[in-house]
Amino acid sequence: MSINLNAASFSYLRPKGRVIKAILPTTLSIQPGEFVAVVGANGSGKSTLAKLLNGLLLPTNGEVLIDGHNTKDADNKIFAPRQVGLVFQNPDNQLTATIVEDDVAFGPENLGIPPEEIRARVDRALKTVGMTEFKDKDPHNLSAGQRQKIAVAGILAMEPKYLVMDEPTSMLDPVGRRDILETLSELRQKSSIGIVYITHIIEEIVEADRILVMTEGKITAIGAPREILTDESLMEMASLYVTRPTELARRLAKKGVPVSKDLITVEEVVKELCSLK
Amino acid sequence: MSGRSLALGQYYAAKSPLHALDPRVKLFLSLTIVTALFFVDNLAVLVGAAFLVPVLASVAKVPFKWVLKGVRPLVFILFFTFLIHLFLTEGATLFAIGPLRATGEGLLKGIFYSTRLILVILFSSFITLTTSPVQLADAIESILSPLKVIRFPAHEIALMMTIALRFIPTLLTEAETIMKAQKGRGANFDSGNILKRARSFIPLLIPLFISAFRRADELALAMEARGYAGGSGRTRLHSLKITPRDVAWLFLGLLIIFSVVGLSWRL
Ligand SMILES: Nc1ncnc2c1ncn2[C@@H]1O[C@H](COP(=O)(O)OP(=O)(O)O)[C@@H](O)[C@H]1O
Ligand SMILES: [Mg+2]
């Protein structure tokens, strides 16, 4: 059970026959329960990858298999979104109803689930994101962070096995961002859902299982956070910035302070510095 | 221009018998009430019927003030109706302003017609006050669904309604933001003649349209990602079902309406 990209690639066709290669042939496997982060500059193909993963886009070459089911098969038109949920960047443009619970119900309704089961799923999903008390409210009167949590609940109510999030925090203020991240880490603890998390905020992904770096449509590196985030030349090539703890450790090392250069979190830096004496 | 000024009978979430009533029954009853009001030709009965508004509000658990807010956007029309009757009815002169003569008959007629109009607005606002837009769209879909046989897009129309309602406040907020930004760059929206003012709205409308199209694009994608593939095979969280309680309320409603109309004819 996993999402597999087998030599999958994708090109956008432009008028006048011009072709934009957004994803170059790639082979990749994502397991349930895993937290895979995707980073890369604007236009590096992250959103295209996200849409390939849940069948919104079909690969030009190669194939994408969701638990063994090819997204290209006509029968899987509903199967793909049911298995792989996709949360977009702008919460405003993915909500469909003027009442929170009606919106969360939209996905399960599309799947043809019986009303009593929809009720149960909506309640569960709202509880998971901590928005139960807002179920009768108009999303327009909530904060952007709360609206994004409603969007997440709308996907969770479809009970997918994988959750792809395309820069879900980039339009939120710091409070909303922390809110989404906390919801996410709780979700990881309580369920075995596989998460693909696209972002350009490096601090959000220091605890990922794997980080995937994209440059100009190519997956240029896959590895553990420590491996990726401390690789200076890779980070520079992908136009990514280094986190502040890493930066601090590096500067200290340069000044001759005996600290490791591979630190990525504040806690690690604090621990290392305290053990110096 | 904030979303709140649109409060014409805006939905008020509460748990009440009126909220629980099947929206199709509500639509039918309020249509009957509005029709009935046009058959009442007695001011006293009309004023009596006005006392049903606070009663209905308390049954619906909607604050009376919130109900009255629905009339506010229409105050001008009400006032205009009143003036037309006051000055254009033949009869004994009460007072005159220039060539305009206010008559005693006009005063009575003015009061009668504006009261009727207020009641029409207030009674019909109970539909939107106690029915969420999604439920209302569902009701309309259900009422129109026999027409699906002739390929009438009942589901699509209901969905379009819901989505339009969902995006009105978003786009209004956005219009406000763009307007402020343009004002900051020296744009002027509130002076000059009508033509000039209309023209000053072009730099507001173009970005608003572009953004609306982008939103529509993203929304379509998000809906597809949530498994939307047309109306067939969909289930509903709140599926509409007429219960014995709905029938009881329907008859109670009809009874009250017909007694009021009957009373006005007897008098
Ligand atoms: N609908 C589209 N039509 C044509 N080209 C597109 C389309 N969407 C994206 N692209 C192009 O594909 C490339 C990758 O885009 P995208 O996947 O959105 O990147 P990212 O999400 O990393 O910013 C970019 O060069 C972009 O211009
Ligand atoms: Mg993107």
Side-chain angles (χ1 to χ4, degrees), chain B residues 128-227:
Chain B
T128 44
L129 282 168
T130 63
T131 319
S132 79
V134 168
Q135 263 187 310
L136 203 58
D138 281 353
I140 289 170
E141 177 174 355
S142 151
I143 292 169
L144 293 179
S145 64
L147 295 178
K148 277 181 187 163
V149 191
I150 57 163
R151 298 266 191 109
F152 184 81
H155 162 74
E156 285 76 7
I157 285 179
L159 187 70
M160 270 163 57
M161 252 184 65
T162 319
I163 289 176
L165 283 168
R166 148 77 187 80
F167 274 91
I168 286 171
T170 309
L171 289 175
L172 281 179
T173 310
E174 184 158 26
E176 224 172 340
T177 314
I178 298 173
M179 225 156 136
K180 275 186 198 144
Q182 310 277 37
K183 268 188 188 161
R185 291 184 221 150
N188 192 342
F189 292 105
D190 8 63
S191 67
N193 60 28
I194 288 194
L195 205 70
K196 224 172 165 184
R197 264 204 263 180
R199 217 173 26 221
S200 72
F201 273 91
I202 293 175
L204 167 70
L205 288 178
I206 289 176
L208 199 60
F209 264 95
I210 292 175
S211 139
F213 279 116
R214 207 201 52 238
R215 284 178 190 281
D217 226 26
E218 281 185 31
L219 179 71
L221 212 58
M223 283 169 64
E224 204 182 326
R226 292 170 76 178

Side-chain angles (χ1 to χ4, degrees), chain A residues 176-223:
Chain A
R177 178 172 299 159
R178 201 173 50 224
D179 219 10
I180 289 287
L181 291 171
E182 274 168 14
T183 305
L184 211 58
S185 76
E186 222 167 287
L187 191 64
R188 285 178 67 193
Q189 280 164 18
K190 285 187 188 151
S191 74
S192 64
I193 197 166
I195 298 173
V196 176
Y197 187 84
I198 298 171
T199 186
H200 56 259
I201 302 167
I202 308 294
E203 283 79 6
E204 295 180 349
I205 55 168
V206 290
E207 284 172 22
D209 295 319
R210 284 194 290 165
I211 294 179
L212 211 148
V213 181
M214 297 198 64
T215 15
E216 290 169 16
K218 265 204 312 256
I219 297 177
T220 31
I222 305 180

Side-chain angles (χ1 to χ4, degrees), chain A residues 46-47 89 166-167:
Chain A
K46 305 183 297 294
S47 297
Q89 185 173 24
D166 191 355
E167 305 197 27

Side-chain angles (χ1 to χ4, degrees), chain A residues 57-94:
Chain A
L57 292 177
L58 300 174
T60 321
N61 288 303
E63 55 190 14
V64 176
L65 301 179
I66 301 167
D67 293 348
H69 298 262
N70 194 328
T71 54
K72 274 184 187 163
D73 290 346
D75 302 346
N76 297 332
K77 240 186 129 60
I78 300 219
F79 179 81
R82 185 195 285 252
Q83 295 293 304
V84 185
L86 180 50
V87 174
F88 294 85
Q89 185 173 24
N90 189 344
D92 281 336
N93 299 349
Q94 38 190 330

